[in-house]
Amino acid sequence: MDNPVLTEAERQIAQVYDAMYAARVVGSIASQLYAQAMGDVYPYEVEASSSCDWPLLGTMVANLRMQPGQQLVDLACGTGGAGLWLARALAVYVTGVDVSFKAVSLATGRVPEFSVPADRARFAVGSLVRTGLADRYADGLLCVDALGFERDRRAVLQEIRRVLKPGARAVVTSGRSRTNPVMPPWKEQAEAVGLILDAEEERPHEPQMWQRLYALWIEHESELRAQLGDAQAESMLTEARTRGPKLPERLALAVTLRRPED
């Protein structure tokens, strides 16, 4: 596995996420509010800063169709919870890639928490379009809530196809406006890079979860500032106030893509 050189733009993004993860590891308020917003579908052990819930983990187990001993890639892995949970549940190897140096460090430190053997999990710095992974490396891949942070969606999908083995699948989350979609339909996006759309499943509860979470962030502003600092709290509040009004028209999807057999 190579260590890809990040672009200046990617390094700037990494700095933002390094600061976020460094702040959230100090206090528990962020994970507490995620748990409250998700309710009984919150996977406490995963502790993801994303929409990763029990239904999504179930979709991944069902749609990736992996066998014990195969290789899973967690793209934009954050602190590694989803990939490590799947590695243990499916008895597979996991390689996590994230642009944040802090996230990679935290993910590496969490391996023992999931009782995954050290030689079955590794995490490294890389981007959505420069993973540093070999061609045909993965028997399965997941990417949760990250596609929207890369302007060149086609480049990300090309990288996913390159990394997947023939016949292997990727499960990615995606969102778009119901009334004014910017991207083409998923079938067209997949075919444009030589992938097959296996499934496109709506997650109608997800926008409602984000609405609850954003309301909680605003309600608990003082606790967020006290535990995370003003800069991180302000970033979260800005997200809540700018994205919250758009949620009623958001279509949230779990998309399964497959690389064709040669």
Side-chain angles (χ1 to χ4, degrees), residues 99-117:
V99 74
S100 167
F101 292 79
K102 183 64 176 179
V104 166
S105 175
L106 291 171
T108 301
R110 297 183 71 190
V111 174
E113 298 175 17
F114 289 82
S115 301
V116 174

Side-chain angles (χ1 to χ4, degrees), residues 13 82 99 124 156 189 233:
I13 294 171
V99 74
V156 180
Q189 293 184 59

Side-chain angles (χ1 to χ4, degrees), residues 122-135:
R122 59 174 176 163
F123 296 90
V125 173
S127 72
L128 290 169
V129 296
R130 280 173 289 277
T131 61
L133 301 173
D135 292 351

Side-chain angles (χ1 to χ4, degrees), residues 161-199:
R161 186 191 186 281
R162 183 188 69 80
V163 167
L164 288 176
K165 293 179 181 178
R169 295 172 173 84
V171 174
V172 304
T173 59
S174 173
R176 67 170 183 261
S177 169
R178 292 180 182 275
T179 57
N180 188 31
V182 176
M183 302 297 296
W186 262 106
K187 188 174 187 293
E188 293 181 18
Q189 293 184 59
E191 290 177 348
V193 298
L195 291 169
I196 297 168
L197 177 64
D198 259 9

Side-chain angles (χ1 to χ4, degrees), residues 37-103:
M38 286 191 183
D40 60 6
V41 298
Y42 180 71
Y44 279 87
E45 190 178 21
V46 171
E47 202 177 36
S49 298
S50 68
S51 61
C52 184
D53 52 18
W54 284 124
L56 182 58
L57 288 169
T59 295
M60 291 175 179
V61 170
N63 291 10
L64 289 173
R65 304 183 193 179
M66 298 187 71
Q67 301 297 319
Q70 289 186 326
Q71 177 67 59
L72 174 69
V73 168
D74 187 352
L75 183 57
C77 62
T79 59
L84 286 167
W85 188 91
L86 288 165
R88 184 184 61 200
L90 302 177
V92 298
Y93 292 80
V94 62
T95 298
V97 177
D98 199 279
V99 74
S100 167
F101 292 79
K102 183 64 176 179

